[in-house]
Amino acid sequence: MAAYSLLSTLSSPFSRSPNRNPKLPPLSLTSTSKPSFLFPTRKLSLPSLHSLIFNQSKNSSNNNSSNSCIVSSAFDSFFILCTSLALSFSLFVTDVGAASAFVVTPPRKLQSDELATVRLFQENTPSVVYITNLAVRQDAFTLDVLEVPQGSGSGFVWDTDGHIVTNYHVIRGASDLKVTFADQTTYDAKVVGFDQDKDVAVLRVDAPKDKLRPIPIGVSADLLVGQKVYAIGNPFGLDHTLTTGVISGLRREISSAATGRPIQDVIQTDAAINPGNSGGPLLDSSGNLIGINTAIYSPSGANSGVGFSIPVDTVSGIVDQLVKFGKVTRPILGIKFAPDQSVEQLGVSGVLVLDAPANGPAGKAGLRPTKRDAYGRLVLGDIITSVNGKKVTNGSDLYRILDQCKVGDKVTVEVLRGDHKEKIPVILEPTPDET
């Protein structure tokens, strides 16, 4: 090949060399490339004119062949380019729906606990309702009477007869109530009954049987701290919201928002409970009802990680009475007592009787109220220290003991009267409006 290159260089008037400024090697040099049987290594000599002409024609033939290959390659490249442009243009003008066939979406994979949570929410959502509290207001300028929403909350279907369970403070002061189901159908609701002391109310709606899916009723007596719980409700008007958490405490005590009477054995949870969740169900991991979400502990009014639910064991007995009788029959002593702080200032422990009407159970039994003597001096009444042998240190203790009794039960009340103690038998009666 080196000899051929040298011949092409020497015959520059007849051949085309790719090198514009070639350097002529000495004629006596030999090729440094590997020997070839076409061009053996030998001394170079000047070619004759005939051989130069032959070489020129041969070189011209090779150039024509090379030009033909270049044209063919250029045509192939041009064809590929046109094909690519045509395919791109067809994809561009094709409908998006058809183009989506080229996209392969892998199936969504959920963990077993996620699947269980999704299934729990889907199965129990139809049982949860949204309750709107409407109140009558009079326009200050036109004097027209209008019905405006004054609050909202949650509830759940109790049975197939259309009974809805919620909190009493959700419906308090309402002139009209609306119940909205998961499919956004709304029905008017009527109040069946309520228990202010335990913050429980029962409504009734005339809805088709296929829309009434009662929530499964569980048991709250065997709950454990750390157990997973799920709350479904309508916080801030956002219907059917699921929040999860654990039971962070048991046997808590809160006061009823209506009467101040303590509610015992309340469930504490860290599941997010916000305004609007009141009356909604608290479920265990099996989807069974274990409580009614009723209150939160928060200075700001929003969720702070401490929520409270009335246990289902307490709710079941109340709902049964409300459905059957429209009211709850709860025993009372028939007294009014002083605030706990006042008794503490006296340096004694117990419940100070302020008033005991003569027609009430305590008045009939002979308990003495607080009064003033002829000189205007305050004479303290009896101080209840125990009931049926159970110590009473404050009002909550007294309520807790009475909740375990029934109307008509005879209890022994121990009181501190002056400087001595007395035991007085009292027969418990229902409240006057329940007789």
Side-chain angles (χ1 to χ4, degrees), residues 167 220 223 229-231 249-252 254 263-269 271 273 277 280-283 290-296 306-312 314-315:
N167 286 139
S220 59
L223 297 177
V229 291
Y230 305 84
L250 293 171
R251 289 177 288 278
R252 302 295 192 232
I254 61 175
I263 306 175
Q264 293 85 24
D265 298 328
V266 173
I267 304 168
Q268 178 184 327
T269 177
I273 298 176
N277 274 112
L282 185 70
L283 309 173
I290 59 174
I292 301 180
N293 302 318
T294 185
I296 57 176
V306 180
F308 300 101
S309 299
I310 305 173
V312 68
T314 301
V315 173

Side-chain angles (χ1 to χ4, degrees), residues 58-108:
K58 184 177 180 180
N59 190 22
S60 175
S61 175
N62 291 336
N63 289 337
N64 292 334
S65 177
S66 177
N67 292 336
S68 176
C69 293
I70 293 174
V71 172
S72 176
S73 299
F75 180 77
D76 292 342
S77 300
F78 179 74
F79 177 76
I80 293 174
L81 178 62
C82 292
T83 304
S84 302
L85 292 175
L87 180 60
S88 301
F89 180 75
S90 64
L91 292 177
F92 179 76
V93 299
T94 305
D95 188 17
V96 177
S100 62
F102 292 94
V103 181
V104 179
T105 304
R108 183 180 298 277

Side-chain angles (χ1 to χ4, degrees), residues 112-187:
S112 58
D113 59 335
E114 293 177 313
L115 291 173
T117 302
V118 172
R119 189 178 303 110
L120 180 145
F121 177 74
Q122 293 176 345
E123 292 178 353
N124 289 279
T125 294
S127 303
V128 182
V129 298
Y130 179 63
I131 300 175
T132 304
N133 182 334
L134 302 175
V136 175
R137 296 287 185 270
Q138 187 175 29
D139 190 277
F141 299 98
T142 64
L143 301 181
D144 293 336
V145 177
L146 304 175
E147 199 172 48
V148 297
Q150 69 171 357
S152 63
S154 306
F156 53 88
V157 180
W158 183 262
D159 54 28
T160 56
D161 294 330
H163 292 111
I164 307 296
V165 177
T166 184
N167 286 139
Y168 168 71
H169 73 263
V170 171
I171 67 167
R172 181 171 52 186
S175 60
D176 196 6
L177 294 167
K178 301 287 185 181
V179 173
T180 304
F181 286 81
D183 59 357
Q184 302 304 313
T185 55
T186 302
Y187 299 90

Side-chain angles (χ1 to χ4, degrees), residues 260-328:
R261 186 162 180 164
I263 306 175
Q264 293 85 24
D265 298 328
V266 173
I267 304 168
Q268 178 184 327
T269 177
D270 67 347
I273 298 176
N274 290 290
N277 274 112
S278 294
L282 185 70
L283 309 173
D284 60 11
S285 56
S286 299
N288 297 322
L289 177 71
I290 59 174
I292 301 180
N293 302 318
T294 185
I296 57 176
Y297 181 81
S298 172
S300 63
N303 173 58
S304 61
V306 180
F308 300 101
S309 299
I310 305 173
V312 68
D313 292 349
T314 301
V315 173
S316 296
I318 296 173
V319 172
D320 290 342
Q321 292 190 57
L322 292 176
V323 171
K324 291 179 181 180
F325 310 111
K327 60 183 181 181
V328 174

Side-chain angles (χ1 to χ4, degrees), residues 27-50:
L27 295 178
S28 60
L29 294 179
T30 57
S31 173
T32 57
S33 61
K34 293 183 180 180
S36 173
F37 65 92
L38 293 177
F39 300 99
T41 303
R42 66 178 183 276
K43 297 282 184 170
L44 298 178
S45 60
L46 292 176
S48 62
L49 180 60
H50 176 74

